[in-house]
Amino acid sequence: MKKLFFCVLSASALLLSGCTGTTYSDLRKKEDKLIANYISRNNLNILTEEPADDYVWGEKDYLKVPGYDNFYFHLIERGDSVYIDPIDSSRTDLTIAANDLIVVRFKQFALTENADTINCWTTLDQAYPYEFHYMNSGDCEAVGWHLAVRYMKYPDSQCAIIQPSKLGFSSEQNSVTPYGYIMKIKVKQ
């Protein structure tokens, strides 16, 4: 009888704990709502098709990147696409390629109102910038950062992104927390 009582009590506790916990699906719905509220609150203009390279991005223009749920990209500044040698006027294409070493300075912010910001923008904020090899997830598991570099295309570019947790770093994925980032990049030779 004691065993039966213990089994029923254990099963009840297990069922109750499962009912009171938040599922991943529930957390993703909250994340989607948080991103939608951020977009609405900031009156962002969402583009559904990638603009041409010569497009002048408005302050509130964000591309909803095709094929990725809730990943948004905004180009703040396009870097130089070519280097012209001052001596012989030869041209070198500066388009970022796979395995280029990307050096990033960034500001990270939550998408809630009056959000905290983590600054890694200057050496006063953090002595060394974040570095990773483009298209190498072993260096940087945040798929969103690789996507941002893909859309920035050139060194000395700057962008803003809205990144859902599933495209972020493992800590963001585990906590199902989306973030906004402002990023500026260089390529280390």
Side-chain angles (χ1 to χ4, degrees), residues 2-74:
K2 284 184 179 181
K3 284 185 180 181
L4 179 61
F5 177 73
F6 180 73
C7 287
V8 170
L9 185 62
S10 297
S12 298
L14 185 61
L15 283 174
L16 288 175
S17 68
C19 294
T20 60
T22 305
T23 66
Y24 178 73
S25 177
D26 292 337
L27 293 173
R28 287 281 298 124
K29 286 177 187 173
K30 286 181 182 179
E31 177 182 47
D32 291 345
K33 187 175 181 177
L34 181 61
I35 292 170
N37 286 342
Y38 178 82
I39 290 169
S40 175
R41 189 172 60 250
N42 289 284
N43 297 314
L44 300 183
N45 176 40
I46 304 304
L47 309 173
T48 55
E49 293 183 12
E50 183 178 353
D53 281 344
D54 62 350
Y55 179 77
V56 178
W57 290 73
E59 183 181 334
K60 297 191 179 268
D61 288 348
Y62 276 73
L63 171 65
K64 184 176 189 312
V65 175
Y68 296 91
D69 293 338
N70 285 328
F71 182 77
Y72 297 88
F73 173 85
H74 169 73

Side-chain angles (χ1 to χ4, degrees), residues 158-171:
Q158 187 174 331
C159 78
I161 60 173
I162 299 169
Q163 178 174 270
S165 61
K166 64 184 174 183
L167 299 179
F169 292 94
S170 56
S171 61

